[in-house]
Amino acid sequence: MKNEDGQVALKNAVKNLHQVSGRCGIREDLVLRMMQSMERIELSFTPLLSSGESRCFKAYIVHHNRDLGPSKGGIRISPTVSLDEVSALAMEMTWKTALIGVPFGGGKSGIGADASTLTPKDKEILIRGFTRAGMRHIGPELYVPAPDMGSNEVDMGHIRDCFSYSQGASITRGCYVTGKPVLLGGIPGRREATGKGVAMTIRRAAERISIDICGSRVAVQGFGNVGSVVARELHEAGARIVAVSDVHGARFDKGGLNIPDLIDHVQHGGKIPEVEMGEQLNPDELFALDCDIIVPAATGNQITEHNAHRIKAKMIAEGANGPTSPEADLMLNERDIFVIPDILCNAGGVFVSYLEYTQETQREQMTMDMVEERLQQRMNKKFDEVYRYSREKDITMRDAALEISICRVADAIVARGLLP
Ligand code: NAD
């Protein structure tokens, strides 16, 4: 996302807050408090890379809100990440944690680097450098990071190691980071939790709007952690994944792509356009395909006023954060396309992060079955709550999700009491 895009994302996030607060009659002083991030930290660090040269990196940590608990949100590694983009994502995390009902606020981090060009050793150097530089702003009662675009479980293991090392202990006192390897106190199923949660909400929504998942046609933009798991889950449920894309290009097969082979290809470092399967597709055409469900699972601002009118799908499930611009949202609504908003659709990850947080605090070990059962229950319950609210008030799923969550945060501020 370019710098200006980050500014637009933040402006849109603030606009959403104003609109919802106006509709819900939230007091102006509370709105002002929710509009501002509690802390916006800009860091720079200069680690020595494995080539023997040092390089300066910029990074950002934003704690948007801690009224319901410590800030929670992933680390985005991207060459174009900006403080405004991270702030917008942190605000969105505040609504997401409130909506899914976990005792966290919202936060986010960004590191300005292209993770795909770094060797594993240099990635580790980058992550350790970021952790050392940001150490004072991370902690179990302050801000607990997790994976996001460009970061993964291995990186979270290194963050955890940095903290335990700094404390001179083999473990950390409390949970400093989620999405760690299971061996290091991580929870089974965290890596897949976001994608599985997206697939769960899609199935729930499909029942409501009469789409039979078995045989349905699905297009997935982005084939990383989230996109590949959604594709696999829906493929296993009998859907035809007719198109997938990554940052390099897209592939299409109207009979359905072979998702297990595609995952294998990507896990071995392959790019989507290089795979010998189906046919090449211009990535710009993915959203215009004749299909039932579209899952944007890449980056922000992908469905805009320039392509929303070409969408033929009946449902859009936002695996990515902020993939739809407000203008496009209005157009989709006018055309009765059912949108599962990001703060609901992709909240499975932060829900399972919460399970990991409690597991670490209580020195417990949850099994995959326990995690999946709790994830399924929570996603269904929250989907139903938002769906019911949107029908009762005759508003979109996005407006319903935002109203429920923003009112919850406002209530938490009042319950805590404003400082005299
Ligand atoms: P990832 O880095 O694992 O994968 C990102 C994928 O998107 C890659 O395949 C990449 O090539 C592709 N991509 C990037 N830009 C693209 C573009 N312009 N067009 C097409 N493909 C593009 O990231 P992820 O963890 O899967 O996250 C994807 C999205 O989901 C992000 O918006 C992230 O904020 C959101 N999200 C992730 C989690 C999580 O637990 N990982 C949780 C909630 C939300």
Side-chain angles (χ1 to χ4, degrees):
M1 202 183 257
K2 295 192 291 289
N3 212 358
E4 314 85 72
D5 293 341
Q7 286 167 4
V8 173
L10 184 57
K11 224 172 81 196
N12 288 338
V14 171
K15 195 165 134 198
N16 274 339
L17 170 61
H18 274 300
Q19 284 174 349
V20 170
S21 306
R23 281 201 306 270
C24 298
I26 298 176
R27 275 167 34 194
E28 193 53 33
D29 56 339
L30 302 181
V31 179
L32 276 176
R33 166 142 168 185
M34 291 190 283
M35 211 171 84
Q36 310 287 344
S37 291
M38 281 175 151
E39 293 180 58
R40 285 181 12 129
I41 299 128
E42 195 169 338
L43 306 162
S44 73
F45 55 100
T46 316
L48 204 57
L49 298 182
S50 50
S51 63
E53 283 173 28
S54 61
R55 199 163 120 201
C56 184
F57 293 96
K58 272 213 171 304
Y60 312 97
I61 299 179
V62 176
H63 302 170
H64 172 254
N65 186 279
R66 289 194 292 268
D67 282 306
L68 281 163
S71 300
K72 189 85 191 75
I75 303 174
R76 178 164 292 195
I77 306 181
S78 143
T80 56
V81 75
S82 66
L83 184 57
D84 282 341
E85 180 187 352
V86 175
S87 304
L89 290 165
M91 188 185 283
E92 173 159 295
M93 282 306 298
T94 299
W95 315 142
K96 193 184 295 182
T97 51
L99 180 69
I100 205 72
V102 291
F104 291 132
K108 201 85 183 180
S109 306
I111 307 178
D114 183 351
S116 66
T117 61
L118 294 172
T119 61
K121 190 73 228 159
D122 282 339
K123 180 95 179 289
E124 180 176 346
I125 291 171
L126 174 79
I127 288 291
R128 288 185 186 274
F130 164 76
T131 312
R132 276 198 302 272
M135 202 155 246
R136 282 176 300 127
H137 311 286
I138 299 172
E141 284 115 29
L142 196 60
Y143 164 57
V144 185
D148 189 61
M149 254 178 80
S151 64
N152 57 30
E153 174 176 301
V154 175
D155 305 324
M156 302 308 116
H158 292 145
I159 293 177
R160 201 261 198 185
D161 183 63
C162 274
F163 276 103
S164 65
Y165 183 79
S166 75
Q167 295 172 358
S170 63
I171 55 168
T172 52
R173 294 176 202 110
C175 181
Y176 280 73
V177 60
T178 59
K180 309 177 282 292
V182 174
L183 270 172
L184 298 180
I187 194 156
R190 170 60 186 88
R191 202 190 71 75
E192 299 90 355
T194 305
K196 282 195 174 174
V198 172
M200 286 167 185
T201 57
I202 290 176
R203 293 169 84 160
R204 199 75 170 174
E207 286 168 17
R208 299 285 181 277
I209 62 167
S210 306
I211 296 179
D212 191 353
I213 288 293
C214 190
S216 63
R217 295 154 307 160
V218 182
V220 182
Q221 185 202 39
F223 206 68
N225 180 343
V226 179
S228 64
V229 174
V230 182
R232 189 194 67 202
E233 291 290 305
L234 296 179
H235 171 78
E236 284 173 4
R240 268 183 288 154
I241 313 301
V242 293
V244 304
S245 68
D246 67 7
V247 73
H248 308 287
R251 232 44 226 187
F252 168 76
D253 185 339
K254 78 171 191 255
L257 294 158
N258 182 332
I259 297 301
D261 282 2
L262 211 48
I263 290 177
D264 190 57
H265 169 77
V266 170
Q267 275 173 351
H268 286 90
K271 298 171 180 166
I272 294 290
E274 287 168 353
V275 73
E276 286 180 17
M277 203 186 281
E279 53 191 270
Q280 290 268 20
L281 175 74
N282 175 346
D284 294 340
E285 294 303 310
L286 184 136
F287 290 135
L289 286 175
D290 202 4
C291 64
D292 302 297
I293 301 167
I294 291 176
V295 185
T299 184
N301 215 29
Q302 296 299 299
I303 303 178
T304 65
E305 70 268 37
H306 304 300
N307 58 13
H309 62 284
R310 297 184 65 209
I311 290 178
K312 301 188 188 81
K314 303 180 191 80
M315 185 200 298
I316 294 176
E318 294 185 335
N321 285 319
T324 311
S325 74
E327 298 77 19
D329 215 22
L330 287 174
M331 292 163 71
L332 298 175
N333 187 27
E334 273 165 18
R335 295 182 48 217
D336 265 343
I337 296 173
F338 189 87
V339 179
I340 315 177
D342 48 5
I343 61 170
L344 170 66
C345 193
N346 68 33
V350 77
F351 177 68
V352 173
S353 276
Y354 158 69
L355 298 181
E356 180 175 339
Y357 184 89
T358 53
Q359 172 187 270
E360 197 156 359
T361 314
Q362 293 162 16
R363 298 258 167 266
E364 214 195 294
Q365 184 70 67
M366 290 183 82
T367 63
M368 184 75 139
D369 285 350
M370 290 156 88
V371 171
E372 289 221 339
E373 196 188 324
R374 296 219 24 205
L375 177 65
Q376 178 83 66
Q377 278 171 357
R378 185 63 63 109
M379 295 311 294
N380 284 352
K381 182 172 167 221
K382 291 297 166 179
F383 178 88
D384 290 350
E385 183 182 340
V386 176
Y387 185 77
R388 209 168 33 243
Y389 188 100
S390 82
R391 296 295 110 159
E392 277 166 19
K393 294 212 154 189
D394 195 19
I395 56 178
T396 64
M397 288 287 283
R398 189 182 315 281
D399 285 343
L402 283 171
E403 285 194 11
I404 294 170
S405 55
I406 291 174
C407 288
R408 205 163 274 167
V409 178
D411 288 347
I413 299 173
V414 173
R416 290 178 84 109
L418 291 164
L419 288 177

